[in-house]
């Protein structure tokens, strides 16, 4: 029997009915993070192999895509599951407290210290898993100390004379583009390559092909024994299936819980869904994240009728011009542009390849002039392609 036998169950056997989401356990096993036949199985299989080799993992993805669920599921699957998983959100702790939270301190180390001192998160995670959420927000000084912990396998609490040996499985998560932060000098390059050994990028909810399974799993938690077809009217179900969910899984769960709480009868109707979902046209909601998002057409969404109503060449030109304009206004920051367009970085890179748009660093300074184009008074299809791109259009 291997270390994982007690945890494993066939992926193909996972189903909404068997999903333990209705149990008191707040987090799911690794095999229940996606539905049967989902394209996410490839990602989960890669995650299994990486955690088996105890490699540092970096989980990427938009806010609400389930990075903490993935981290906890990996810990429960790993050989370290009998030890603790210690989590720290690097963005939620004041900068002057991060060091003591991570590394701990000895008694009398500073004014206001606890009489008996305090063990840091790294020591508490010894022989277990240390999960650093929003690691991109870690202060520079603590990045240096964390690098030493990972390099030497030891930590020195504040005020201590001798280091303490530690053995931790490190899992980090962030919604930021750490490579970009490294280029800007905001994140240590050596630490980046230390934590980004096994990189797993979780897809946004709008890109997942198992939304019905996810909805059913969440519904089972709120209304045990009910199915989507008998618990939701056709219009409500259609909206939940086609909405872009800029808040990802967190937003979907909140919307369904709200609808279950306020419904008047046995069936959830459109009137029971949150107003932020129902009061916006789907054409704009399909890309809406912040209110400043640009009207960008996503293939495969409810905008398909609009796409088909215009000549393909004209629509492709509009889409290409919009991409160029947003990139220029974002100073070719891929992460910022992707957020404004309502897509993930991988999807934006695919669009750049599709339209043969090279990065500005490969084109010269003439692309930067595109940032002078009007952003509010000119519609995307009226923007002229920058001179440097005409030759590849």
């Amino acid at each position: 029997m291997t270390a994982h036998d007690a945890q494993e169950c066939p992926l193909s056997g996972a189903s909404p009915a068997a999903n333990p989401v209705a149990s008191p356990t707040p987090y799911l096993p690794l095999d229940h993070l996606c539905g049967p036949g989902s394209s996410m199985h490839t990602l989960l299989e890669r995650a299994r192999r990486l955690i088996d080799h105890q490699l540092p993992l970096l989980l990427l993805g938009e806010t609400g895509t389930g990075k903490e669920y993935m981290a906890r599921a990996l810990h429960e699957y790993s050989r370290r599951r009998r030890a603790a998983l210690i989590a720290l959100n690097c963005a939620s702790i004041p900068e002057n407290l991060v060091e003591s939270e991570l590394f701990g301190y000895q008694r009398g180390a500073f004014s206001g210290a606890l009489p008996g001192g305090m063990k840091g998160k790294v020591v508490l995670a010894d022989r277990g898993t240390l999960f650093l959420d929003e690691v991109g927000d870690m202060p520079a000084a603590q990045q240096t100390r964390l690098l030493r912990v990972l390099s030497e396998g030891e930590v020195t609490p504040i005020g201590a004379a001798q280091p303490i040996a530690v053995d931790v499985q490190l899992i980090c998560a962030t919604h930021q583009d750490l490579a970009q932060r490294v280029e800007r000098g905001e994140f240590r390059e050596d630490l980046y390559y230390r934590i980004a050994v096994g990189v797993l990028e979780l897809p946004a909810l709008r890109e997942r092909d198992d939304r019905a399974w996810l909805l059913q799993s969440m519904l089972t938690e709120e209304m045990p024994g009910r199915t989507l077809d008998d618990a939701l009217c056709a219009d409500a179900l259609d909206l939940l299936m086609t909405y872009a969910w800029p808040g990802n899984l967190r937003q979907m769960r909140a919307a369904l819980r709200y609808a279950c709480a306020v419904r008047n009868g046995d069936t959830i109707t459109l009137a029971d869904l949150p107003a932020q979902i129902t009061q916006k046209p789907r054409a704009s909601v399909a890309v809406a994240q912040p209110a400043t998002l640009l009207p960008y057409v996503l293939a495969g969404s409810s905008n398909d009728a609009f796409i088909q109503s215009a000549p393909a060449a004209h629509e492709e030109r509009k889409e290409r011009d919009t991409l160029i304009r947003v990139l220029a206004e974002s100073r070719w920051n891929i992460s910022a542009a992707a957020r404004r367009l309502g897509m993930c970085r991988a999807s934006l890179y695919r669009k750049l390849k599709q339209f043969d748009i090279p990065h500005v660093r490969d084109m010269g300074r003439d692309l930067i002039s595109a940032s002078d184009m009007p952003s509010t008074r000119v519609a995307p299809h009226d923007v002229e392609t920058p001179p440097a791109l005409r030759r590849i259009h």
Side-chain angles (χ1 to χ4, degrees), residues 315-349:
E315 291 305 315
E316 289 181 2
R317 176 61 180 266
K318 285 174 57 180
E319 186 175 6
R320 188 174 185 276
D321 287 347
T322 300
L323 287 171
I324 294 168
R325 179 167 63 85
V326 176
L327 284 163
E329 291 173 351
S330 304
R331 299 192 65 80
W332 287 82
N333 182 315
I334 297 297
S335 295
R339 284 194 295 271
R340 293 194 64 192
L341 292 166
M343 61 175 66
C344 68
R345 290 169 55 245
S347 296
L348 179 52
Y349 277 120

Side-chain angles (χ1 to χ4, degrees), residues 50-305:
L50 291 170
I51 202 70
D52 270 341
H53 289 83
Q54 302 185 56
L55 298 174
L57 302 182
L58 177 61
L59 308 182
L60 303 177
E62 298 176 8
T63 300
T65 50
K67 296 185 289 296
E68 184 171 357
Y69 275 79
M70 172 73 87
R72 292 184 180 274
L74 285 169
H75 170 73
E76 290 300 323
Y77 177 82
S78 74
R79 296 180 176 88
R80 296 172 180 261
R81 63 180 175 270
R82 297 187 184 279
L85 179 144
I86 304 298
L88 177 68
N89 189 314
C90 300
S92 65
I93 298 177
E95 183 173 343
N96 61 330
L97 296 180
V98 172
E99 184 174 16
S100 59
E101 286 287 333
L102 262 179
F103 310 115
Y105 55 83
Q106 298 286 82
R107 59 180 298 180
F110 51 84
S111 176
L114 295 174
M118 186 184 78
K119 288 185 177 181
K121 302 294 188 185
V122 178
V123 174
L124 292 173
D126 186 33
R127 298 181 180 274
T129 301
L130 177 65
F131 175 52
L132 298 180
D133 199 6
E134 300 300 345
V135 69
D137 293 306
M138 179 178 287
Q142 311 324 319
Q143 293 178 29
T144 303
R145 292 204 60 186
L146 178 61
L147 180 64
R148 178 171 178 79
V149 171
L150 300 178
S151 301
E152 306 298 331
E154 59 185 29
V155 58
T156 304
I158 302 171
Q162 299 295 327
I164 301 173
V166 290
D167 173 24
V168 300
Q169 165 68 56
L170 181 66
I171 302 179
C172 298
T174 182
H175 69 280
Q176 302 186 54
D177 187 334
L178 285 189
Q180 288 267 345
R181 291 180 65 82
V182 169
E183 290 180 8
R184 296 195 298 263
E186 298 170 353
F187 198 86
R188 287 187 63 111
E189 183 176 16
D190 45 4
L191 178 59
Y192 171 70
Y193 289 116
R194 177 71 66 171
I195 67 176
V197 178
V199 180
L200 301 169
E201 184 162 4
L202 277 66
L205 181 52
R206 61 182 172 274
E207 298 174 339
R208 293 186 57 165
D209 53 8
D210 59 348
R211 273 178 285 185
W213 182 88
L214 290 167
L215 279 169
Q216 179 63 65
S217 299
M218 296 174 188
L219 180 69
T220 300
E221 182 179 8
E222 302 299 322
M223 302 170 66
R226 301 291 298 277
T227 66
L228 294 177
D229 289 334
D230 66 51
L232 290 93
C233 73
D235 289 342
L237 179 57
D238 180 61
L239 179 57
L240 292 176
M241 286 293 295
T242 57
Y243 185 64
W245 300 111
N248 293 297
L249 294 169
R250 188 177 293 124
Q251 184 189 15
M252 176 184 275
R253 181 180 293 276
L256 199 58
R257 292 185 68 182
Y258 173 89
C260 290
V262 304
R263 74 186 193 277
N264 290 320
D266 291 335
T267 303
I268 295 173
T269 67
L270 280 175
D272 299 323
L273 297 177
Q276 66 203 51
I277 295 178
T278 59
Q279 291 181 359
K280 294 180 181 178
R282 295 196 201 182
S284 60
V285 168
V287 297
Q289 194 164 347
T292 56
L293 276 181
L294 296 165
Y296 185 83
V297 179
L298 291 179
S301 72
S302 56
N303 288 314
D304 284 353

